[in-house]
Amino acid sequence: MESNGKHVTLDGTTVDYDTGALYWGEPGTNGQHSFYQMIHQGTTVIPVDLIGFAKSLNPLGEAPRHPFVERFRAGPSARLRKTADEVRAEGTAEHVVAHRVMEGNRPTSVLLAEILTPRILGSLIALYEHSVFTQGTIWGIDSFDQWGVELGKVLAVVIIPELESETDPTLAHDSSTNELITLYRRLKRNGDTHGN
């Protein structure tokens, strides 16, 4: 996903649109208290890909309706519209109605396979790689240069020796970087490089 994080097109023109879609997620119900609410009712419409498998590589038992499977099946439905009238028809108190309304129009794709195999995993990786390439082509940006990453490497070449120096180096970075280097060196001298 980092590949399309660009602010200029192939010819160097500054873009006036968002680039660099973010891909993130969690298995099963791990994301329930992290981001599900945001994707269901948040102010930013977030397209969702639900990826599921009919058979587990690590079966948890013979339960006929496993909660993870039910959650997966309910996901797309939960992103549909639910009007205030529908909420009221359920007997919801009026002061809660607005909170239970779902505006809908939340795009969801469901990718379902029999079981996760190396071939299926490779296909999923190829799908998302192709998506990044296609977005870059549409946006007119180079998905394959890494100038921001290269800058980080150049800066690291300068900063690492300052972090590891036996004597206090003369620091000529911005004030935030200087302070972080100084703090790291102080913690390292005190035997604590984890900030505890």
Side-chain angles (χ1 to χ4, degrees):
M1 84 183 151
E2 70 165 343
S3 301
N4 287 338
K6 308 291 169 50
H7 67 278
V8 295
T9 62
L10 290 166
D11 67 4
T13 305
T14 301
V15 299
D16 59 357
Y17 45 85
D18 290 333
T19 65
L22 300 178
Y23 294 92
W24 43 268
E26 282 289 329
T29 58
N30 291 359
Q32 184 171 349
H33 298 290
S34 298
F35 54 82
Y36 284 10
Q37 182 63 44
M38 179 177 64
I39 64 176
H40 287 309
Q41 290 182 300
T43 55
T44 300
V45 174
I46 302 169
V48 171
D49 290 347
L50 296 173
I51 303 171
F53 303 94
K55 296 178 184 174
S56 173
L57 293 173
N58 301 295
L60 297 174
E62 296 297 321
R65 299 174 75 182
H66 194 277
F68 292 146
V69 174
E70 293 304 314
R71 189 63 117 150
F72 176 79
R73 289 173 51 198
S77 299
R79 294 174 54 75
L80 298 175
R81 181 177 174 84
K82 189 167 188 178
T83 67
D85 288 340
E86 291 170 325
V87 173
R88 283 187 191 97
E90 294 172 347
T92 303
E94 191 59 37
H95 71 281
V96 182
V97 169
H99 301 280
R100 296 191 56 199
V101 168
M102 306 290 167
E103 294 176 349
N105 196 26
R106 305 290 171 133
T108 304
S109 297
V110 177
L111 304 169
L112 183 61
E114 181 180 354
I115 193 166
L116 179 61
T117 63
R119 181 182 180 100
I120 294 293
L121 179 59
S123 297
L124 288 169
I125 292 169
L127 170 70
Y128 287 101
E129 279 291 324
H130 185 69
S131 172
V132 167
F133 164 76
T134 302
Q135 290 168 353
T137 300
I138 291 169
W139 293 328
I141 60 178
D142 185 350
S143 301
F144 302 103
D145 70 30
Q146 297 283 309
W147 299 115
V149 173
E150 290 301 317
L151 175 60
K153 291 176 183 177
V154 168
L155 294 174
V157 168
V158 174
I159 291 173
I160 289 173
E162 294 173 342
L163 293 172
E164 297 175 349
S165 173
E166 294 296 323
T167 60
D168 287 336
T170 301
L171 301 175
H173 308 286
D174 60 90
S175 61
S176 177
T177 303
N178 288 343
E179 191 60 36
L180 285 170
I181 292 170
T182 302
L183 176 60
Y184 176 86
R185 292 179 55 75
R186 186 177 322 124
L187 291 171
K188 188 175 176 183
R189 272 194 301 270
N190 294 334
D192 183 0
T193 57
H194 299 290
N196 296 325

